[in-house]
Amino acid sequence: MKVGSARGRPFGVVLVLLVVVVASCKRTPATGIDQHVTNLGSIEVTARLLEIPGEFPSNELYNYAFILKYRVLVVHRGEIKEEDILVGQYNPRKPRSDAEDDFSGTVGGDLTRFRAGDVHRLALAAPLDEYWMGGIIDKYFDQKGVRYWAFWTNRVDK
Amino acid sequence: MTRCRSLSLGLLAIMLVAASCAVDTRDEAPEERSAASTGSESAARQDPNDPRVLKLASEVGDKGWIVYSARTAKGDWDLFLMRPDGSARRPLTETSEYSEGGARFSPSGRKLLYYRIPTGVAVDNNEYGRFDLVVANADGSHPVAYGKDYNWASWGPNDDQLARLTKAGIEIVELSSKRTIRTLEKQGMFHQLFWSPDGQWFTGTANGLGEHWAIARMNATTGELSGVSDPRCFNCTSDWFPDSQRIIYSKGIPCTGEWAQLWMTHESESESRLVYAEPARHIYGGAFSPDGHYVLFTRSRRDLGRVDESHTTMGLMRFQDAPIIRGDDGPLRKAFPNATDGPVLDLSVGWEPHWTYADIGANR
């Protein structure tokens, strides 16, 4: 079956390459900086999500905070002494922009999905239970230490 | 004579089928459920084949009153009052702009606290205590709204003190002055807080005791807290026995398989034991009669959550008959070989029943 002429093919390849180059030039790497992440809470960090310890339960029955472990890469604001921190993310099945509700207080960001290994810019505060009065799923419950509350979570390009 | 006997047997069979159909229909259809919430039929009719149920119904029939929440024909949830055998039902609140739930009689039985939720907002077993607290007379008269600052309020040892959960901690409030008398660190307690009748303890659902939330027991003087339920599973809706020593609560997934069960414990998880379970219902909201002889609970077809989607009905049993497993010949009964099969009195549709022996219904 004839799908294209030999003369037209090099032109097509060049065009596709051009589009790809232009598209990649237009996209600036996400730094995660916005007016929310730089102002909310008392701590701001860029941190890598180390793992997702199990499945996030559905929100059909309850709203909850799920504890995630991050490795702190940069502290932008406030003070954090630990290398790894435990952060409560509210209803993490939802994109951050849809997570806020009547019970959560301010929660948001541009992150659409939590994936292990990704880097986030986070506005945090502690202790968690001063900001969230509801269920917490904590797979690290046997590890002592502060649990932070994530107000804002933005994606950062690695 | 033979023809007459055949006719009688046939009639009896038709009556039995009709009676059992009535129970099923009420359990199934929302319209029927709404009607039943205001109906006045005796609960004894719900299980005509079991004389043990009839005996239980006659035993509790004049022992005070039960308040509960049920959906009305308008679609909102109102409070209703009934005798413990399910008779003499009548509405306590008839508001179209609010749903009401989570009702609790005060220690004297003279007052009632409950939460009101704007109509249109889902009534939710895990969230209702975050809405507006109302305190009224036990017959529903003179309701006073206290607003949203009284999360998960619970009566204490008298009618003028409440405990509430705030972000600052567990606060004890004098109702008449609205003054906070004392604040304790909440140590992970986050909802369904209940203060013991003697004022010495709190129980509630708490974080930090395991991977999932669990039942905590806290000394109201020292603040010392301990977990009393299995930390490997979701547990909730705890409440005190009248002796202020033992706790009744619901134990859920993943420990109980698919369906939440009613359990009791004392000071630690190792003392816990089954009170009531069914293979196809979630059991929540365990609450005792004032003398501790009977247990009330909510049965739910779907896990709670949202109450309006869960086909909730209420049940009543003798505590001395525990553990009871109803309607199961399979794994549940094998797991609890000493469990009996009842009797359990079905109290028709409703959610979060609570019991007083005060004579609050006599005046109306």
Side-chain angles (χ1 to χ4, degrees):
Chain A
M1 194 163 73
K2 195 176 177 185
V3 292
S5 73
R7 213 171 63 178
R9 198 172 297 148
F11 178 71
V13 169
V14 169
L15 198 69
V16 167
L17 281 174
L18 206 62
V19 168
V20 168
V21 168
V22 169
S24 63
C25 285
K26 273 185 82 177
R27 185 163 175 257
T28 51
T31 61
I33 298 174
D34 67 21
Q35 59 167 343
H36 303 288
V37 83
T38 53
N39 285 295
L40 286 166
S42 53
I43 295 159
E44 183 189 342
V45 297
T46 296
R48 185 183 306 281
L49 178 57
L50 292 179
E51 59 179 351
I52 295 179
E55 210 173 308
F56 301 141
S58 123
N59 292 120
E60 273 179 36
L61 298 178
Y62 37 76
N63 299 303
Y64 62 91
F66 195 98
I67 303 295
L68 295 172
K69 186 183 274 189
Y70 282 89
R71 172 137 316 151
V72 177
L73 305 176
V74 183
V75 179
H76 304 286
R77 179 162 57 92
E79 193 178 335
I80 282 191
K81 288 178 180 160
E82 312 99 306
E83 186 184 14
D84 294 342
I85 56 172
L86 296 169
V87 176
Q89 288 283 4
Y90 184 63
N91 288 346
R93 284 170 78 109
K94 297 180 179 177
R96 293 301 79 195
S97 57
D98 296 340
E100 183 175 316
D101 60 29
D102 290 344
F103 306 120
S104 66
T106 301
V107 169
D110 65 13
L111 187 76
T112 53
R113 190 171 153 234
F114 289 94
R115 281 187 313 200
D118 282 359
V119 177
H120 303 156
R121 192 161 181 136
L122 301 136
L124 307 170
L128 191 161
D129 71 351
E130 280 186 15
Y131 301 92
W132 164 239
M133 205 166 77
I136 299 170
I137 296 174
D138 187 353
K139 308 274 185 181
Y140 307 102
F141 77 94
D142 53 352
Q143 295 180 25
K144 289 201 184 309
V146 178
R147 267 57 173 168
Y148 295 87
W149 173 244
F151 285 103
W152 213 259
T153 307
N154 287 340
R155 180 179 61 86
V156 175
D157 282 343
K158 289 179 249 184
Chain B
M1 185 76 178
T2 313
R3 220 179 84 185
C4 193
R5 193 180 299 149
S6 301
L7 191 68
S8 301
L9 282 172
L11 244 160
L12 187 66
I14 288 167
M15 280 171 70
L16 283 174
V17 168
S20 61
C21 283
V23 174
D24 287 341
T25 306
R26 188 164 47 243
D27 212 9
E28 295 268 353
E31 305 78 25
E32 291 297 317
R33 293 202 313 274
S34 296
S37 66
T38 53
S40 60
E41 62 192 314
S42 164
R45 276 184 56 203
Q46 293 176 1
D47 196 345
N49 299 317
D50 191 342
R52 300 175 306 160
V53 176
L54 290 169
K55 186 167 182 292
L56 177 56
S58 75
E59 193 176 303
V60 297
D62 62 354
K63 289 183 185 293
W65 295 88
I66 289 170
V67 64
Y68 64 100
S69 184
R71 192 153 66 174
T72 72
K74 292 178 197 162
D76 66 328
W77 287 69
D78 283 346
L79 297 182
F80 296 87
L81 207 58
M82 66 178 170
R83 285 293 195 184
D85 64 354
S87 65
R89 291 170 196 257
R90 66 160 201 255
L92 270 193
T93 59
E94 290 177 275
T95 56
S96 54
E97 68 274 33
Y98 294 108
S99 288
E100 288 89 15
R104 294 269 158 171
F105 290 113
S106 66
S108 74
R110 290 194 197 101
K111 297 276 183 187
L112 187 69
L113 73 72
Y114 58 89
Y115 283 89
R116 68 179 194 190
I117 300 147
T119 302
V121 175
V123 176
D124 192 306
N125 197 55
N126 301 325
E127 306 286 5
Y128 70 88
R130 296 171 183 243
F131 288 88
D132 286 352
L133 175 74
V134 178
V135 178
N137 291 334
D139 64 0
S141 63
H142 302 295
V144 177
Y146 282 76
K148 276 191 174 14
D149 294 333
Y150 289 80
N151 282 357
W152 301 106
S154 166
W155 293 109
N158 63 58
D159 285 13
D160 194 37
Q161 286 191 357
L162 293 175
R164 65 179 172 184
L165 273 172
T166 71
K167 286 183 176 171
I170 296 171
E171 294 184 349
I172 295 172
V173 181
E174 188 179 67
L175 204 53
S176 49
S177 65
K178 297 186 180 176
R179 194 168 55 92
T180 300
I181 298 167
R182 202 153 65 89
T183 305
L184 287 96
E185 222 180 291
K186 62 180 183 273
Q187 299 181 71
M189 290 247 209
F190 68 90
H191 73 191
Q192 297 159 348
L193 176 74
F194 287 102
W195 198 357
S196 65
D198 68 0
Q200 301 299 306
W201 303 93
F202 292 110
T203 185
T205 313
N207 295 312
L209 297 169
E211 186 178 317
H212 310 102
W213 40 90
I215 303 303
R217 174 192 181 104
M218 182 191 282
N219 185 311
T221 307
T222 65
E224 190 185 343
L225 178 135
S226 59
V228 295
S229 64
D230 191 333
R232 296 167 302 173
C233 44
F234 290 101
N235 303 274
C236 63
T237 64
S238 60
D239 198 0
W240 290 99
F241 280 57
D243 66 7
S244 297
Q245 295 300 308
R246 292 168 293 173
I247 291 168
I248 191 162
Y249 67 98
S250 291
K251 179 175 180 174
I253 58 168
C255 305
T256 59
E258 201 180 340
W259 303 94
Q261 303 167 349
L262 201 59
W263 282 64
M264 61 171 284
T265 190
H266 190 203
E267 290 183 340
S268 70
E269 194 270 326
S270 62
E271 298 169 273
S272 65
R273 62 185 174 93
L274 179 73
V275 174
Y276 179 79
E278 277 187 62
R281 293 288 185 280
H282 296 279
I283 310 300
Y284 288 113
F288 274 90
S289 59
D291 60 9
H293 292 168
Y294 307 96
V295 186
L296 285 170
F297 48 84
T298 299
R299 305 163 65 232
S300 174
R301 286 191 177 196
R302 291 182 60 180
D303 207 355
L304 301 174
R306 290 180 63 163
V307 182
D308 49 357
E309 294 175 348
S310 302
H311 305 270
T312 57
T313 58
M314 301 169 292
L316 184 156
M317 61 178 273
R318 285 187 204 94
F319 179 58
Q320 68 179 27
D321 294 336
I324 291 177
I325 292 171
R326 188 173 173 190
D328 174 69
D329 296 320
L332 199 51
R333 196 161 291 283
K334 272 187 196 149
F336 301 97
N338 297 328
T340 66
D341 64 348
V344 175
L345 185 58
D346 281 322
L347 291 172
S348 189
V349 293
W351 164 65
E352 281 282 305
H354 193 244
W355 199 331
T356 181
Y357 281 175
D359 191 18
I360 56 174
N363 298 333
R364 291 175 57 164

